[in-house]
Amino acid sequence: METFESLVGAEFAPKNTYLNTASTGLLPARTVAAMRTATEAAAAGRPTDMFSDVEASRACFARLVSVPERRVAAGASVAVYSGLIAASLPAGAEVLTAEGDFSSVVNPFHVRPDLKVRSVPLERIAESVRPGTALVAVSAAQSADGRVADLPAIREAAREHGARTYIDASQAAGWLDLDADAYDYCASVAFKWLVCPRGVAFLVVPEDLGGLTPLFAGWVAGEHPWDACYGPIDELAHSARRFDESPALFSYAGARRSLGLLEELGVDAVRAHDLALADRFRAGLASLGHEPVPSPGSPIVSVPGLGSRQSDLSSAGVEVSDRAGNLRAAFHLYNTPTDVDRLLDVLSA
């Protein structure tokens, strides 16, 4: 029987100390092989059925976030799906967001001058929902520093005041135990913690499709796509597929394999692995006299004042990010305690 370590070891062999999943995840070997097969087949004039890869990816993502696949749309960008949700709101609607959240989540609401966008500190989101709030839009985990939103409290506050919820899981899907069924909308790119190629994103909508208008509906949004290639679409998909973007097929050929790997490993096992490494790093930082931004229960650790070390670390073969002057390290399934210790050793030099 394959273990977590043997599965990961067969799929990943980074040539450096890669601690930057919050920017871009590494691709598994099976994903690279599938994309190579797809591109070579296309070059030979015998393309593979990559639309079946889209459907397999949709179904796998649905299982990972605990919703029926009919509620999942497949696309390429969280910003596009944020824009779709923003466009559904009536003039004057209030949208509650977290201060400093990722721009793809919040900016589509700000570019509509007829909406009332209110931003509060992440820790005050739940208590700031009020009568008249139409939508709460927030990242499950903050890109800048890894802080995790109190999603159950936000859900309950929104329900109490009749507001819808929109959760961006781009920094959480793949390691957080996420029940997307608990929220109205949930979007995520897949090239980070889901270790997929760029060009893959998903949107979860309610059973009733959430009152969204499929503004960018192309032929793939038809109930029978191959009969919807010309002229107006007579029958839109009855499921969330009506919100599909025309897919980046080669990316989905790989995504199918990446998501399958995460299912094999199990999100619970990935989370335990990732958080243990992050806690090891936090303990090491304390011994060096550094205090990270508090982000309990997150594999993302952000350290104020050390962002300037990013270039030195990269030269030493350690990849992290510089975010607003903070050093951001992100620990995922292909990392080891040795990686953590290597980062600490370079920082202490």
Side-chain angles (χ1 to χ4, degrees), residues 109-122:
F109 301 102
H110 283 274
V111 298
R112 271 197 60 182
D114 59 342
L115 295 180
K116 300 174 183 176
V117 184
R118 188 162 55 97
S119 299
V120 300
L122 178 68

Side-chain angles (χ1 to χ4, degrees), residues 38-49:
T39 54
E40 289 176 350
R46 297 178 178 177
T48 58
D49 181 8

Side-chain angles (χ1 to χ4, degrees), residues 32-48 50 250-251 253:
V32 175
M35 295 178 74
R36 182 180 295 117
T37 297
T39 54
E40 289 176 350
R46 297 178 178 177
T48 58
M50 289 180 281
F250 294 106
S251 293

Side-chain angles (χ1 to χ4, degrees), residues 120-141:
V120 300
L122 178 68
E123 295 76 15
R124 291 180 50 203
I125 288 283
E127 68 185 63
S128 299
V129 184
R130 62 191 183 189
T133 300
L135 179 74
V136 182
V138 65
S139 293

Side-chain angles (χ1 to χ4, degrees), residues 38-63:
T39 54
E40 289 176 350
R46 297 178 178 177
T48 58
D49 181 8
M50 289 180 281
F51 285 100
S52 67
D53 295 326
V54 176
E55 295 312 311
S57 298
R58 187 196 316 273
C60 191
F61 179 80
R63 291 190 295 271

Side-chain angles (χ1 to χ4, degrees), residues 19-20 23 303 305-323 325-329 343 346-347:
L19 302 171
N20 205 18
S23 291
V303 191
L306 293 185
S308 61
R309 298 291 305 276
Q310 186 270 331
S311 59
D312 293 339
L313 287 161
S314 183
S315 297
V318 181
E319 294 301 328
V320 294
S321 289
D322 175 5
R323 290 293 183 270
N326 296 349
L327 180 148
R328 186 187 68 182
L343 172 56
V346 178
L347 285 175

Side-chain angles (χ1 to χ4, degrees), residues 44 47 50 61 76 84-85 90 130 145 172 184 208 221 242 280 291 328 335 349:
M50 289 180 281
F61 179 80
L84 181 70
I85 295 167
R130 62 191 183 189
D145 52 32
D184 295 287
D208 65 1
R242 65 172 52 193
R280 183 185 185 96
E291 184 174 350
R328 186 187 68 182
N335 296 130

